[in-house]
């Protein structure tokens, strides 16, 4: 049995992408952006720049996802553009590190913030994170509509809480008015440019997860329309919300407090609302983590399923249950993420593969050009706006970030490359087994 139901609507796809993108990072990264830029206007420009870059990537991947609306997303179209090995290496890296490490980190973050409301020991925090991962894995395996309904509700609650915080900061704040008076900080041009570049790089990570809807392409209704709209709308919505959040906290906090804050959203809410405001932020972080964990489990399992379906992973993971959901792939992903949670190595693992993430983004960008050249007579259900400039812009930025990572963190990049390359013998084994050569 295979996944054949196309039940996901535009709302479902939008809530999936927004739910994953607006993870706990949105409560941390505005502070990093502010500290690196030094003014409200330059902070806003950093978010707009990061949003524009991400939109270029989303527009580019929309053409690929609409062309190959199948479970697995980049696993499928990287394999089509380059070779099955490149598609497998993407899927392998996602399966082994990217998705489970992200799930583990967010589950721990959610339980840690819950500990601010209900006292929890370190063992209870870790155990709760594992229980959350396995519980949501089982819940997602029980039916597609349950998964999407949960994702939709959690994302809406998260958006409501964030908007409440922003409105409160603007309505009751005002101590940070001076942050909006000058467009540039009192610093040298070199330092300003370096700080702005660091702010944009940090802001880009707040958009992580924008490819999520491509992973569930096989279950989208009218994917040639739904997928491009969901990707574009989710990036625009996240950019606008990030702008509002950053501007709101700057408006609420005195400049000195804003630029020195390590927990800027919590500090702003507490400054405006007192203890109640801090609790609202804590609740928003918990809901954000829940929505992101659910979305990552839901989407990531489709890549594991696609690999197994093609004979490039254990056959057991290709099984679709009675609810037409890849239940075994969900269980496999949940168990591995739980193991990483228990070991506590998830954050370091993800740091290692940062260079791989941008490498795969770059390959995806240029895949559009390759596929158009190779299959000139094929129909294209959706075409990227501004071709070839938009794919080239995104691909060039991704390549620049690969080089920057190699320069600034060479050992992490080398270890990360090694983790990706562990997929080569795995591909050799499963591909030979599939062709009957093993």
């Amino acid at each position: 049995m295979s996944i054949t139901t196309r039940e996901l609507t535009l709302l479902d796809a939008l809530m999936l992408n927004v739910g994953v993108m607006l993870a706990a990072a949105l409560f941390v990264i505005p502070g990093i952006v502010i500290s690196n830029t030094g003014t409200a206007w330059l902070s806003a420009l950093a978010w707009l720049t990061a949003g524009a870059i991400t939109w270029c990537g989303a527009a580019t991947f929309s053409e690929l996802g609409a062309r190959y609306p199948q479970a697995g997303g980049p696993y499928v179209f990287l394999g089509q553009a380059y070779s099955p090995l490149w598609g497998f290496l993407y899927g392998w890296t996602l399966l082994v590190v990217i998705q489970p490490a992200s799930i583990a980190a967010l589950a721990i973050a959610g339980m840690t913030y819950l500990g601010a409301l209900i006292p929890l020991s370190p063992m209870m925090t870790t155990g709760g994170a594992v229980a959350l991962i396995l519980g949501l894995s089982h819940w997602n395996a029980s039916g597609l509509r349950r998964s999407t309904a949960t994702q939709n509700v959690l994302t809406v609650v998260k958006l409501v809480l964030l908007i409440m915080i922003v409105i409160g900061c603007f309505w009751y704040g005002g101590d940070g008015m001076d942050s909006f008076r000058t467009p540039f900080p009192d610093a040298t041009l070199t330092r300003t440019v370096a700080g702005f570049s660091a702010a944009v790089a940090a802001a880009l990570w707040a958009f992580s997860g924008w490819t999520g809807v491509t992973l569930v392409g096989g279950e989208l209704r009218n994917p040639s329309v739904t997928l491009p709209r969901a990707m574009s709308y989710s990036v625009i919505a996240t950019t606008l919300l990030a702008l509002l959040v950053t501007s709101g906290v700057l408006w609420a906090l005195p400049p000195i407090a804003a630029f020195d804050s390590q927990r800027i959203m919590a500090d702003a809410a507490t400054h405006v609302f007192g203890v109640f405001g801090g609790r609202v932020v804590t609740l928003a972080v918990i809901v954000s983590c829940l929505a992101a964990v659910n979305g990552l489990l839901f989407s990531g399992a489709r890549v594991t399923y696609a690999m197994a379906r093609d004979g490039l992973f254990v056959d057991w993971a290709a099984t679709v249950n009675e609810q037409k959901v890849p239940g075994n792939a969900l269980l496999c992903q949940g168990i591995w993420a739980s193991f990483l949670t228990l070991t506590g190595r998830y954050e370091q693992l993800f740091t290692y593969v940062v260079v791989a993430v941008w490498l795969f983004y770059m390959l995806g960008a240029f895949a559009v050009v390759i596929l158009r050249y190779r299959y000139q007579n094929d129909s294209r259900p959706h075409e990227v706006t501004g071709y070839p400039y938009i794919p080239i812009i995104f691909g060039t930025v991704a390549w620049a970030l690969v080089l920057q990572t190699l320069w600034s963190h060479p050992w992490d990049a080398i270890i990360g490359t090694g983790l990706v390359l562990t997929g080569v013998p795995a591909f050799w084994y499963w591909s030979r087994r599939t062709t009957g050569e093993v």
Side-chain angles (χ1 to χ4, degrees):
M1 185 184 295
S2 61
I3 301 176
T4 56
T5 56
R6 291 191 175 275
E7 298 183 22
L8 299 181
T9 64
L10 175 59
L11 176 64
D12 298 329
L14 186 59
M15 291 297 101
L16 172 62
N17 252 26
V18 171
V20 174
M21 290 167 69
L22 292 177
L26 191 59
F27 296 85
V28 178
I29 290 180
I32 299 174
V33 171
I34 290 167
S35 64
N36 277 286
T37 54
T39 71
W41 299 109
L42 210 54
S43 295
L45 183 60
W47 280 113
L48 288 172
T49 303
I53 292 170
T54 306
W55 182 85
C56 289
T60 301
F61 277 53
S62 291
E63 176 171 327
L64 296 167
R67 185 168 188 156
Y68 301 104
Q70 304 169 31
Y75 159 74
V76 176
F77 49 71
L78 288 180
Q80 292 287 338
Y82 301 100
S83 73
L85 172 62
W86 281 107
F88 179 84
L89 288 178
Y90 167 83
W92 177 259
T93 308
L94 194 84
L95 166 67
V96 175
V97 181
I98 297 175
Q99 212 77 348
S102 300
I103 291 167
L106 287 164
I108 286 290
M111 293 304 300
T112 300
Y113 273 86
L114 180 62
L117 302 178
I118 305 171
L120 298 174
S121 67
M123 184 177 295
M124 293 171 67
T125 299
T126 303
V130 170
L132 174 65
I133 293 168
L134 295 178
L136 284 177
S137 296
H138 176 73
W139 181 255
N140 276 269
S142 65
L144 183 62
R145 289 318 311 169
R146 287 187 178 185
S147 302
T148 53
T150 301
Q151 187 66 31
N152 294 351
V153 169
L154 288 172
T155 303
V156 168
V157 171
K158 174 165 58 175
L159 290 172
V160 169
L161 290 171
L162 282 169
I163 291 171
M164 284 175 54
I165 294 168
V166 170
I167 290 174
C169 286
F170 278 115
W171 189 267
Y172 296 104
D175 291 339
M177 193 181 301
D178 288 342
S179 299
F180 293 81
R181 296 191 187 281
T182 57
F184 300 105
D186 185 16
T188 63
L189 178 61
T190 302
R191 185 172 179 180
T192 300
V193 171
F196 180 78
S197 300
V200 171
L204 284 170
W205 282 110
F207 293 93
S208 296
W210 56 269
T211 59
V213 70
T214 65
L215 308 184
V216 299
E219 293 156 283
L220 294 175
R221 293 182 190 174
N222 193 11
S224 62
V225 175
T226 301
L227 191 146
R229 288 182 179 177
M231 295 190 76
S232 183
Y233 295 168
S234 62
V235 172
I236 293 171
T238 302
T239 304
L240 290 175
L241 191 56
L243 283 171
L244 287 172
V245 167
T246 304
S247 300
V249 298
L250 280 173
W251 183 259
L253 285 172
I256 295 177
F259 294 113
D260 291 338
S261 176
Q262 300 298 314
R263 300 170 60 251
I264 193 164
M265 281 197 68
D267 289 345
T270 302
H271 181 74
V272 173
F273 300 111
V275 176
F276 174 75
R279 290 178 177 173
V280 172
V281 170
T282 298
L283 180 60
V285 174
I286 293 170
V287 176
S288 295
C289 291
L290 286 172
V293 169
N294 189 76
L296 289 169
L297 286 167
F298 173 49
S299 58
R302 271 57 184 179
V303 180
T304 307
Y305 159 79
M307 292 166 61
R309 175 201 60 196
D310 295 341
L312 295 176
F313 196 56
V314 292
D315 296 336
W316 172 78
T319 302
V320 177
N321 59 26
E322 293 180 357
Q323 289 74 33
K324 296 184 179 180
V325 172
N328 288 349
L330 277 160
L331 181 60
C332 175
Q333 180 181 240
I335 291 173
W336 181 237
S338 297
F339 174 76
L340 292 183
T341 302
L342 292 171
T343 63
R345 300 293 296 173
Y346 45 87
E347 290 184 350
Q348 189 61 58
L349 281 173
F350 190 84
T351 301
Y352 290 149
V353 296
V354 166
V355 68
V357 171
W358 287 110
L359 175 62
F360 289 126
Y361 283 168
M362 182 198 71
L363 291 174
F366 295 122
V368 173
V369 180
I370 292 170
L371 289 169
R372 282 207 186 189
Y373 177 78
R374 186 179 298 164
Y375 305 109
Q376 298 181 28
N377 296 324
D378 283 7
S379 61
R380 292 186 288 272
H382 172 78
E383 294 187 353
V384 56
T385 303
Y387 178 88
Y389 305 107
I390 295 300
I392 290 174
I393 289 171
F394 182 70
T396 301
V397 171
W399 177 237
L401 287 167
V402 168
L403 294 178
Q404 191 273 334
T405 304
L406 286 168
W407 176 262
S408 60
H409 300 92
W411 284 112
D412 286 352
I414 291 170
I415 295 172
T417 302
L419 287 171
V420 174
L421 293 177
T422 60
V424 173
F427 175 80
W428 178 83
Y429 169 75
W430 272 305
S431 61
R432 286 175 64 87
R433 190 190 65 168
T434 301
T435 57
E437 296 181 26
V438 175

